[in-house]
Amino acid sequence: MLHVKLAYTFTRSAGMRVQLDNPLFDILSAIHASGSVGQAATRLQLSYRHVWGELKRWEAALEAELIVWERGKRARLTPFGEKLLFAEQRAKMRVFPQVENLVAEMEREFALAFDPEVHVIPMFASHDLALSRLKEFMARDAGLHLDLQFRGSLECLAALSRGECQLAGFHVSEERAPGSMTQKAFKALLKPGRHKLIAFVGRQQGLMLAPGNPKRVTGVQDLKRAELRFVNREKGSGTRLEIEQLLANAGIAPASVNGFERAEPTHLAVAAAVASNGADVGFGIQAAASAFGLDFLPLMREQYYFVCLKEALEQPAIRKLRELLKRSEWQGLTADLPGYDIDGAGNVLALSRALPWYAFRKPK
């Protein structure tokens, strides 16, 4: 078996998203996007000679060709090069939550060590593309550090009840009927009078599809088709709960969906699986589909909430967080995320007002 050592640099981009970069995959991605070795070199701010030399060095190390290039024609990756690039993208999407958690741990410790005025909010949250932006915005504008750990929605609420965090982040669909899976899952973890909700963002959830929708998917009913390869989210995530509810509404048994037990940890990992032809359809947020150039079929709007104990609501750090969410500067930072809206961001909501399950009465 061939063994190859790959080294990655660990940085934050201008938008403060964590990045893992490797020179080989930077080159392959740039060629894939531009169709030109020269344009790839320009995009990467490297010389043509350096890029060409790196390609040949890696072809020798991997014992396989990476690009096909003929004078006067677009350069393109070989089938092996395409597989290699998309395999790396899928792997990175899977590890990003763990990387973000590592960054949070390091930043928290350094913040506490160097700045006694910094306030830290320990938070467990379901994965969301806007959270990293909020984390940086808080630190920059208010000296608030969000000690952010990504978990499934249900696990986040359980951790809040155990006192392992001060703030939890979860999302819930607008399917809030009596007896729904959503009601059964969340009602047991949230208690009126004990918990308070803070509005964060609204998001569009739906089916992620290959560009052009070659499989002609029109809705949830198509997931019954045996030839369609589905990619799911992990157990305990709010997104998995939502797709299970959609299947139940459509009368489809999860076991009949090809790939239902194949799970990815984030929306971006699901999108990467579809983009690399590892699956035909996935379920997740529109912004993740857009990040990979996928088609998107919207199925529902959901609301992402922060939740804390009632007594924490007026603590200085939580109060400042609520103020920041209402600022126009924060609202502008989410404008480029497709499918997002920030109606009512920062508003405090009672459980009985936001989630009608607590008003349902059992018949006598």
Side-chain angles (χ1 to χ4, degrees):
M1 179 181 292
L2 183 66
H3 293 279
V4 178
K5 182 181 291 186
L6 297 171
Y8 283 80
T9 56
F10 172 68
T11 60
R12 278 193 182 275
S13 65
M16 300 317 295
R17 175 185 169 189
V18 170
Q19 290 190 173
L20 292 173
D21 297 306
N22 173 274
L24 168 62
F25 294 106
D26 290 344
I27 290 172
L28 294 182
S29 179
I31 293 175
H32 178 75
S34 67
S36 165
V37 177
Q39 290 183 33
T42 300
R43 178 177 298 190
L44 298 172
Q45 297 183 327
L46 298 170
S47 70
Y48 181 96
R49 181 177 180 181
H50 175 80
V51 171
W52 186 255
E54 284 295 287
L55 285 169
K56 291 305 173 184
R57 182 175 70 83
W58 277 107
E59 285 182 340
L62 296 169
E63 301 176 1
E65 292 185 346
L66 293 173
I67 66 166
V68 178
W69 180 77
E70 298 176 21
R71 189 173 298 278
K73 296 183 178 180
R74 286 175 59 88
R76 67 183 189 277
L77 301 184
T78 63
F80 171 73
E82 291 273 4
K83 288 170 60 179
L84 192 66
L85 175 62
F86 282 116
E88 193 258 359
Q89 289 183 348
R90 289 196 303 270
K92 285 202 301 187
M93 293 305 102
R94 290 176 184 141
V95 304
F96 266 137
Q98 289 77 24
V99 174
E100 290 273 14
N101 290 346
L102 174 62
V103 172
E105 289 286 348
M106 295 176 68
E107 289 181 343
R108 177 180 182 276
E109 294 304 323
F110 283 119
L112 292 174
F114 288 100
D115 190 348
E117 299 302 318
V118 166
H119 295 284
V120 178
I121 302 177
M123 180 178 188
F124 281 19
S126 176
H127 187 256
D128 179 77
L129 302 188
L131 274 173
S132 295
R133 300 185 183 194
L134 177 65
K135 177 179 165 62
E136 170 57 22
F137 177 63
M138 288 170 55
R140 184 184 68 237
D141 285 36
L144 281 176
H145 179 74
L146 198 61
D147 182 10
L148 180 61
Q149 302 290 314
F150 287 118
R151 301 286 190 274
S153 285
L154 301 180
E155 184 180 350
C156 293
L157 295 178
L160 180 67
S161 296
R162 294 192 299 265
E164 297 174 8
C165 57
Q166 187 179 16
L167 198 65
F170 74 101
H171 56 95
V172 61
S173 73
E174 295 179 325
E175 168 56 75
R176 301 175 183 182
S180 66
M181 293 180 181
T182 310
Q183 178 200 4
K184 293 175 182 177
F186 287 103
K187 189 174 181 180
L189 294 168
L190 293 168
K191 304 299 180 185
R194 184 171 186 235
H195 296 109
K196 291 292 184 180
L197 300 179
I198 302 169
F200 179 43
V201 295
R203 313 186 303 187
Q204 287 291 329
Q205 287 260 41
L207 298 180
M208 303 184 191
L209 309 163
N213 190 10
K215 300 292 185 178
R216 299 294 181 262
V217 175
T218 60
V220 174
Q221 286 288 348
D222 286 305
L223 298 182
K224 294 188 298 186
R225 290 160 49 188
E227 76 275 12
L228 279 183
R229 298 166 299 156
F230 182 69
V231 56
N232 207 345
R233 288 290 305 281
E234 75 279 15
K235 293 180 180 179
S237 68
T239 297
R240 185 172 178 125
L241 183 66
E242 287 172 352
I243 189 63
E244 288 176 350
Q245 182 66 63
L246 287 171
L247 291 174
N249 293 348
I252 301 173
S256 67
V257 177
N258 178 13
F260 188 81
E261 293 306 322
R262 177 190 171 187
E264 296 289 354
T266 68
H267 295 281
L268 290 171
V270 171
V274 177
S276 65
N277 197 33
D280 300 309
V281 57
F283 183 74
I285 60 174
Q286 183 177 354
S290 177
F292 280 84
L294 301 176
D295 278 19
F296 182 76
L297 180 64
L299 296 179
M300 66 172 68
R301 181 190 180 275
E302 63 176 12
Q303 181 67 42
Y304 197 115
Y305 293 108
F306 297 157
V307 58
C308 65
L309 298 181
K310 181 180 179 180
E311 56 267 28
L313 196 61
E314 295 302 326
Q315 291 179 0
I318 301 297
R319 189 169 63 248
K320 189 63 178 179
L321 166 65
R322 290 159 42 202
E323 294 171 1
L324 289 172
L325 289 175
K326 294 181 179 182
R327 285 192 190 177
S328 59
E329 299 96 315
W330 161 244
Q331 296 171 359
L333 290 175
T334 61
D336 65 330
L337 291 174
Y340 275 67
D341 65 77
I342 49 173
D343 294 342
N347 290 344
V348 177
L349 303 169
L351 289 178
S352 56
R353 175 185 168 192
L355 307 175
W357 314 314
Y358 303 98
F360 297 155
R361 296 184 181 275
K362 293 182 180 180
K364 295 183 179 179

